[in-house]
Amino acid sequence: MPRSELFPPIDPYQTGILPVDDLHTLYWEQSGNPRGVPVLFLHGGPGAGASPTHRRFFDPGHYRIVVMDQRGAGRSVPLGEVRHNTTALLVEDAERLRHHLGIERWLLFGGSWGSTLALAYAQTHPERCLGLILRGIFLMRKSEIDWFLYSMRTIFPEAWAAFAAHIPEEERGDLLEAYWRRLDSPDAATRMAAARVWSMYEGSCSSLLPSPELIATSAEDTHALGLARIEAHYFRSNRFMPEDRLLRDVHRIRHLPGAIVQGRYDIVCPIASADELRRAWPEADYRVVPDAGHSAMEPGIRAALVQATERFKEYR
């Protein structure tokens, strides 16, 4: 039977920090087999950071598991920093880390925003990629951002009501700018309060069934501040030009092996984007999990991702 559970917990065999400019220093780690097939885990958000659980999607006997917290996220510093923080710079950071670790080519694994960044990196550096495993596709288009800010209330009205209630009624016509004024406030308490509401809104909508564990993680200060500030910053300032660039440039990676895993009832990143991607990239293996939402930790999504990493063992 194909494996469906995560691999056992594992500690890194190496951790480090990588200064990428005068402002940002990135945390990175390596786990698994130092001589194994390199795989880069790209976390979501943007700004969510990685966790020890993310190492467990990969067979540690086969893979050299590289995890990096992106600018302003997780253990990278400064936390929540939006200056010098763009998609193009994140792509450069991944390439700098590849050089630093002496890796020639690697497999990319990313979900949600991680799928966005994986596509952007692969389309910029296809010669450095062994393949892509993507989950919960997000293409950073205005329609997807508007869905997140306003239309998720059609499915999660209670969560959206709490999200909107943090903003005075007269400011709710532009929730993104209203939240940004608070997330960028000079007052730390104001920033933290807005970040926690934003992050819990996303967490509350991320699973098919309620997940107290996911909501608790969403409320944790480091996670919430990094996620909300950087996510809002990217929604405001870092959309692709042209907007459909990631779909338009799929031709640059169609020769690479690809896997797309999508929850049928993903409300944060609805299935329409995944469907558009698989139509542009018909060679990719496309799996729709019929009883799942957005979170990588839902049983069906988790199983499909582990099975994808197992199938990719044939690519070196």
Side-chain angles (χ1 to χ4, degrees):
M1 292 289 292
R3 185 182 183 94
S4 60
E5 293 301 321
L6 298 175
F7 290 90
I10 185 174
D11 292 324
Y13 64 78
Q14 185 182 22
T15 64
I17 59 172
L18 181 68
V20 291
D21 61 19
D22 292 338
L23 181 59
H24 290 276
T25 299
L26 307 186
Y27 168 87
W28 59 267
E29 64 179 45
Q30 297 193 90
S31 307
N33 183 352
R35 299 181 182 276
V37 175
V39 56
L40 175 64
F41 176 89
L42 295 169
H43 66 69
S51 77
T53 303
H54 294 144
R55 307 167 193 148
R56 299 176 57 196
F57 286 104
F58 313 97
D59 181 347
H62 181 82
Y63 285 107
R64 177 182 176 183
I65 307 158
V66 181
V67 175
M68 173 184 70
D69 282 339
Q70 298 155 29
R71 294 187 182 216
R75 293 148 291 186
S76 294
V77 293
L79 177 67
E81 180 58 68
V82 299
R83 291 173 295 168
H84 304 166
N85 199 334
T86 67
T87 307
L89 288 173
L90 298 189
V91 169
E92 287 183 18
D93 293 344
E95 187 63 0
R96 186 178 285 109
L97 180 61
R98 186 188 64 78
H99 279 285
H100 180 72
L101 298 178
I103 293 171
E104 182 178 355
R105 301 172 71 206
W106 49 9
L107 173 65
L108 304 180
F109 181 108
S112 194
W113 163 258
S115 74
T116 320
L117 184 55
L119 287 166
Y121 176 91
Q123 291 172 8
T124 306
H125 300 287
E127 74 284 356
R128 297 303 178 189
C129 300
L130 294 170
L132 297 88
I133 299 175
L134 308 176
R135 186 264 315 166
I137 303 303
F138 179 60
L139 301 174
M140 189 61 99
R141 296 174 296 182
K142 185 178 185 298
S143 60
E144 294 165 301
I145 294 167
D146 287 346
W147 170 270
F148 176 88
L149 291 169
Y150 296 101
S151 299
M152 289 204 305
R153 63 181 158 181
T154 60
I155 310 297
F156 287 101
E158 303 90 348
W160 187 87
F163 176 63
H166 189 72
I167 303 299
E169 189 170 357
E170 61 271 18
E171 296 183 59
R172 292 178 195 167
D174 192 339
L175 285 172
L176 181 56
E177 290 303 315
Y179 261 98
W180 181 247
R181 285 190 287 273
R182 290 155 179 83
L183 291 167
D184 200 40
S185 168
D187 179 65
T190 299
R191 292 196 301 271
M192 195 65 249
R196 191 174 290 111
V197 174
W198 178 293
S199 182
M200 290 182 68
Y201 168 59
E202 183 167 337
S204 297
C205 301
S206 289
S207 55
L208 182 62
L209 299 176
S211 172
E213 182 181 77
L214 182 56
I215 294 171
T217 298
S218 301
E220 192 272 323
D221 285 0
T222 299
H223 175 90
L225 189 64
L227 176 77
R229 271 182 57 83
I230 297 176
E231 200 162 76
H233 163 66
Y234 271 70
F235 286 0
R236 295 174 74 242
S237 308
N238 285 282
R239 298 177 194 171
F240 293 107
M241 295 297 291
E243 190 180 59
D244 66 345
R245 195 185 92 190
L246 293 181
L247 289 174
R248 184 198 65 183
D249 288 350
V250 165
H251 68 92
R252 295 179 56 83
I253 61 171
R254 283 181 61 180
H255 64 287
L256 295 171
I260 302 168
V261 174
Q262 180 72 32
R264 169 67 69 186
Y265 300 107
D266 186 335
I267 303 304
V268 176
C269 296
I271 194 171
S273 294
D275 185 70
E276 288 180 81
L277 179 61
R278 68 104 173 181
R279 292 178 188 278
W281 190 7
E283 298 84 1
D285 182 82
Y286 180 55
R287 309 275 171 114
V288 176
V289 180
D291 56 352
H294 182 66
S295 173
M297 295 303 142
E298 295 189 75
I301 298 281
R302 187 175 65 219
L305 290 172
V306 169
Q307 289 162 15
T309 65
E310 290 289 279
R311 292 195 307 274
F312 270 65
K313 285 180 176 180
E314 65 184 87
Y315 303 113
R316 300 187 69 90

